[in-house]
Amino acid sequence: MSRKFAALPLSIIAFAAMANAAKIGVERDRMVNVSGKGDVWSLFDEQPLVGDPKAGSGGKPTTEYTAGWIKAALHYPIEGVVDLGAEHALTDVWFYDINGSDSMRVSCGDGKIWTTMLDRTTSGYNTWVGTAATCTGRYVKIRLISPSSAVTEMVLYGSAIGNPVPLPIPAKTVKPTLGELMGVNGFIDDDRSLLAAVGNLREYHSWQWDDGDGDASTPAYPANRFGWNPSWVRGTGWGWNFDEYYQDLSSKGISMQPVFQGSPAWMFGKTVGDSLKPFPLGRDSSLPASYVEHADYMYQFSSRFGRTKHSAADLRVDALNTAVSGAGTVDWMEPWNEPDKDWKGVTGYFSPHVLAAISSADYDGDQGRMGSKVGVKNGDPTMKMALPGLIGIVPEYVKSMKFWADVHRGGSFPADALNFHHYCTDGGGQGAGEATTGISPEADGLRAKLENLAAWRDRYLPGKELWLSEFGWDTHQGSVFKAPATGGNDGYEMQARWLVRAFLEVAASGFQKAHMFMLRDTWDSSPGIFATSGMVHDKHDTLSPKYEKKPSWWYVNTLHKRLRNFRFEADESVGGTMKYRFIHATDSDSLAYVVWNRDDAAVAKTVSVTIAAANAKVVRFANGEPLGRISSLQAVAGAMEIPDVDGRPVILLAKRSVSSVLRTPSKNPTPVLDPRSIEGRRIRFDRNRQGLPASVTVYSR
């Protein structure tokens, strides 16, 4: 508020502002699509065209604010919020009504308390409709009840009370090393030695594995008791041991990032998976307190596997377990998986504000309002929590969550990482359209999509990590998510190339973690999506030896071992020749280049890299070679000429100082599979989604 108005009562300021009412300008960066659907900017993107409808000079706009008719019952009403940047005294609302007839409401307020300005039916046809609507507030919210509430443009009138709050200045985020970035999705019953190819494991973990294992007769919260060692997945003389599992992988340098799924059977009297939100029926899904049982589970898990010691009285374990805490073996927790999967219907779909509510509960007990014995941070302040992985690159969904956090948590966002899933297909991703094939990360524009999100993060949520926690391609050539045979290369080779290139694109984008989906196939002979997306073959099928490594495992392992201490520094690509420069995290004299041709069908050619070094090592990815095939390269006229470069990336390792000795890493010992590990249970996929025959059982995501 400007100084000349600071001492005046607000009513006098608002009255003075109304006397100077005029058309209010709006900014796209200040728009929030509360529902995560539709684009409220389409109501304000034609302001020069529409002129001044209140004065009778309105034009005819065309872009409509809508989420469309597909799954309208799930996504409507849609809501969008306009942040005016400062409090305004609003006087009038005008909108262009095109066709259809249904309810529209416009409100203003502080983001939490709203005053209705107009609430009417859009009964006009290709005409401007206006009404006097006085209200004082910084935010304006537009709510359309259905796609029939058809509006193409809106004009707000009024005057600012004070000066607008400036947009934040973007922060600079350090890019991760490849070792910090590279990860995989997997399960407790996977062959642990295969995880040597990466540094992060996103471990799928069902709540009921720790709480009842599908037995609806076990006690309900708060009398429920947890099992970790042994877990509730157990029988006479055996049981999964999560204490040993996390300790073993942590000691091998694998950062553990479990992602939790579903609810225990006692909550609904049966196992329901993720088709219902995790609270007893009848509660308000928009309130953090509704998720107390889930937040309690997050507290118990964080207390046991985090780094903070607790009294045994705070820990609830069953008769076969010992109450211990502070193991320090888990680094991150992800409370749910794909909460925005709309094929689950109203009961399983989380709108942005519903996910914000459960995240607030799970993160810190809604900032302590739910008590000190619920939430990840109350279990261990050092434990980090990732936002559940969202389907697709969906910045509008996260913007809506941030708006909720600004209003309800004073700006404290309830997660330490923003998390997304994306598959490079000709259909636009995992759920965007009807895919017929996978496409390369470059053809999909993967890096640019991620960079847009990174730029938004740097401005509005600096310090938060960004994850791409699912991506990948199938090797079965009947899958619509396949890496298709190209240029004489089969699907196995193409999957291997594209995974390496995807990790490189993510590293360049500013994201902190990338988990390919997933470690192993689930059914080698199936053309269903995700059935053959593994880096190794299935352990149950008969087409290939159990856990036989595909070329992709060898390629990913080579990338990780050669460049795990390097971070992306610069893009020196020219045309279709990709050339990325990496710098060592602690040795400024060491640098690396990765070069490839983005066209997998192109003829191999020689690529020149100009560096101030006398010699270098060239690493070529090869099936069966854990560190690739290495050869020496001498500089010619100040440049390294790398021959035979095609769609398969080539690594160049060099020292800036001519006198330095160039060393390459030795082959790491392979961890031995613990003979005590117990083979896990299978959970059924959504068969309608996978298109698999009823006789086929595969792992759930």
Side-chain angles (χ1 to χ4, degrees):
M1 185 178 295
S2 62
R3 292 184 179 179
K4 66 178 181 179
F5 290 134
L8 297 176
L10 184 59
S11 59
I12 296 176
I13 298 170
F15 181 80
M18 289 178 186
N20 297 309
K23 183 177 174 180
I24 300 173
V26 296
E27 302 174 71
R28 182 166 196 167
D29 284 349
R30 296 187 187 272
M31 302 285 174
V32 179
N33 295 307
V34 174
S35 308
K37 299 293 180 180
D39 185 0
V40 70
W41 172 245
S42 62
L43 281 177
F44 298 92
D45 63 337
E46 300 174 276
Q47 294 290 291
L49 168 68
V50 303
D52 188 351
K54 182 180 178 182
S57 62
K60 185 178 180 180
T62 58
T63 55
E64 182 181 356
Y65 175 39
T66 182
W69 288 94
I70 298 175
K71 292 187 170 65
L74 180 65
H75 299 303
Y76 276 87
I78 61 170
E79 290 184 338
V81 168
V82 180
D83 178 3
L84 299 177
E87 195 167 39
H88 277 65
L90 294 120
T91 60
D92 301 85
V93 176
W94 282 72
F95 62 93
Y96 194 80
D97 192 350
I98 52 172
N99 52 40
S101 180
D102 214 330
S103 173
M104 178 181 75
R105 180 184 301 160
V106 179
S107 310
C108 93
D110 61 2
K112 193 171 188 178
I113 300 174
W114 298 96
T115 300
T116 300
M117 298 174 68
L118 70 86
D119 193 348
R120 60 177 298 160
T121 299
T122 57
S123 54
Y125 178 71
N126 288 341
T127 184
W128 280 101
V129 178
T131 182
T134 58
C135 185
T136 301
R138 172 176 168 174
Y139 301 96
V140 174
K141 180 168 66 174
I142 299 101
R143 179 178 187 269
L144 305 183
I145 195 69
S146 81
S148 293
S149 309
V151 177
T152 57
E153 197 74 4
M154 180 173 289
V155 177
L156 304 173
Y157 291 88
S159 296
I161 304 173
N163 298 317
V165 176
L167 295 175
I169 297 173
K172 183 176 177 59
T173 301
V174 176
K175 288 182 170 62
T177 64
L178 268 296
E180 293 166 337
L181 175 97
M182 294 176 65
V184 69
N185 287 268
F187 293 85
I188 186 176
D189 59 331
D190 290 338
D191 181 340
R192 301 180 196 179
S193 68
L194 299 171
L195 295 172
V198 294
N200 299 288
L201 173 61
R202 184 173 182 255
E203 176 241 341
Y204 286 93
H205 195 112
S206 291
W207 182 352
Q208 67 177 21
W209 292 351
D210 305 325
D211 191 355
D213 193 29
D215 183 355
S217 67
T218 57
Y221 172 84
N224 56 325
R225 295 292 182 268
F226 296 93
W228 321 100
N229 173 20
S231 74
W232 276 89
V233 181
R234 63 199 183 203
T236 303
W238 70 272
W240 283 350
N241 184 339
F242 282 103
D243 286 347
E244 183 276 333
Y245 175 60
Y246 293 139
Q247 178 60 53
D248 178 47
L249 290 179
S250 180
S251 69
K252 291 179 170 67
I254 302 294
S255 175
M256 299 302 302
Q257 296 134 24
V259 49
F260 301 94
Q261 303 183 98
S263 304
W266 55 255
M267 185 173 285
F268 301 105
K270 60 181 179 180
T271 298
V272 299
D274 57 3
S275 60
L276 294 174
K277 298 180 183 70
F279 59 70
L281 298 176
R283 293 183 186 172
D284 186 342
S285 64
S286 68
L287 300 178
S290 295
Y291 302 96
V292 62
E293 294 89 349
H294 196 261
D296 167 73
Y297 173 44
M298 295 295 98
Y299 172 86
Q300 292 290 327
F301 190 99
S302 178
S303 295
R304 188 173 187 96
F305 300 109
R307 290 167 173 76
T308 300
K309 296 291 185 180
H310 290 265
S311 165
D314 294 335
L315 309 173
R316 303 198 311 279
V317 294
D318 70 2
L320 298 181
N321 275 261
T322 302
V324 297
S325 61
T329 53
V330 174
D331 304 305
W332 286 84
M333 294 170 61
E334 184 182 339
W336 201 258
N337 183 52
E338 295 187 342
D340 55 337
K341 41 185 174 280
D342 53 16
W343 57 88
K344 291 294 182 179
V346 175
T347 58
Y349 173 78
F350 293 68
S351 71
H353 283 196
V354 168
L355 183 59
I358 185 176
S359 297
S360 187
D362 288 340
Y363 191 67
D364 54 11
D366 195 31
Q367 295 184 307
R369 287 180 284 270
M370 295 169 60
S372 61
K373 299 295 189 294
V374 290
V376 169
K377 295 294 185 179
N378 288 327
D380 175 25
T382 71
M383 181 74 76
K384 294 183 179 180
M385 189 184 103
L387 193 69
L390 298 167
I391 300 169
I393 309 301
V394 285
E396 293 303 322
Y397 194 104
V398 179
K399 290 179 186 178
S400 179
M401 290 189 67
K402 181 184 182 302
F403 180 72
W404 186 95
D406 289 345
V407 172
H408 295 279
R409 292 177 55 91
S412 170
F413 192 84
D416 299 302
L418 314 180
N419 191 1
F420 307 89
H421 298 168
H422 181 71
Y423 292 85
C424 301
T425 72
D426 62 352
Q430 179 177 351
E434 293 297 326
T436 65
T437 184
I439 59 177
S440 73
E442 300 89 0
D444 187 54
L446 176 63
R447 177 180 165 187
K449 292 174 180 177
L450 302 183
E451 283 177 331
N452 288 337
L453 255 174
W456 182 85
R457 180 273 314 273
D458 289 347
R459 182 183 291 274
Y460 296 103
L461 286 174
K464 302 298 182 184
E465 289 199 6
L466 289 173
W467 291 12
L468 183 66
S469 63
E470 281 192 27
F471 69 96
W473 294 266
D474 289 316
T475 51
H476 193 295
Q477 294 300 285
S479 169
V480 297
F481 278 21
K482 65 180 175 289
T486 306
N489 302 297
D490 63 18
Y492 291 107
E493 168 67 17
M494 296 309 300
Q495 184 210 37
R497 292 182 177 193
W498 288 0
L499 282 175
V500 167
R501 283 152 53 177
F503 277 120
L504 295 170
E505 296 286 71
V506 180
S509 74
F511 269 52
Q512 277 63 50
K513 284 185 173 55
H515 307 78
M516 66 80 57
F517 187 84
M518 64 178 201
L519 181 61
R520 58 180 166 84
D521 290 348
T522 55
W523 206 258
D524 284 354
S525 60
S526 170
I529 59 174
F530 309 123
T532 58
S533 63
M535 293 191 293
V536 301
H537 287 285
D538 187 17
K539 63 179 180 180
H540 296 287
D541 211 338
T542 58
L543 296 182
S544 305
K546 176 180 177 179
Y547 287 141
E548 182 181 31
K549 295 170 183 174
K550 298 180 184 180
S552 56
W553 189 93
W554 301 102
Y555 283 28
V556 169
N557 186 72
T558 297
L559 180 68
H560 181 257
K561 298 302 176 291
R562 294 296 188 181
L563 296 184
R564 60 185 167 189
N565 293 318
F566 288 79
R567 67 178 85 251
F568 176 83
E569 185 177 45
D571 181 356
E572 298 179 10
S573 303
V574 178
T577 301
M578 309 300 292
K579 193 186 304 182
Y580 284 4
R581 186 172 78 240
F582 289 79
I583 185 69
H584 197 282
T586 58
D587 178 8
S588 60
D589 197 39
S590 296
L591 76 160
Y593 277 84
V594 186
V595 299
W596 71 96
N597 193 324
R598 58 178 292 160
D599 181 359
D600 289 284
V603 176
K605 64 179 181 179
T606 297
V607 174
S608 178
V609 177
T610 303
I611 53 175
N615 61 79
K617 299 290 185 182
V618 170
V619 178
R620 296 186 183 272
F621 295 88
N623 188 27
E625 295 286 347
L627 294 176
R629 293 174 181 157
I630 193 164
S631 60
S632 297
L633 197 65
Q634 299 298 316
V636 178
M640 300 289 176
E641 301 290 329
I642 308 174
D644 301 321
V645 176
D646 56 13
R648 181 190 301 175
V650 178
I651 299 173
L652 178 76
L653 299 169
K655 288 283 189 179
R656 286 193 170 100
S657 301
V658 176
S659 60
S660 295
V661 177
L662 182 65
R663 294 186 175 91
T664 55
S666 60
K667 186 174 180 178
N668 287 355
T670 302
V672 178
L673 177 65
D674 189 336
R676 295 174 295 168
S677 63
I678 304 298
E679 191 169 289
R681 300 183 176 186
R682 288 192 161 196
I683 313 166
R684 294 188 179 274
F685 266 100
D686 180 335
R687 297 191 183 282
N688 291 331
R689 191 174 174 218
Q690 303 304 320
L692 300 181
S695 61
V696 176
T697 306
V698 290
Y699 271 99
S700 171
R701 294 175 58 249

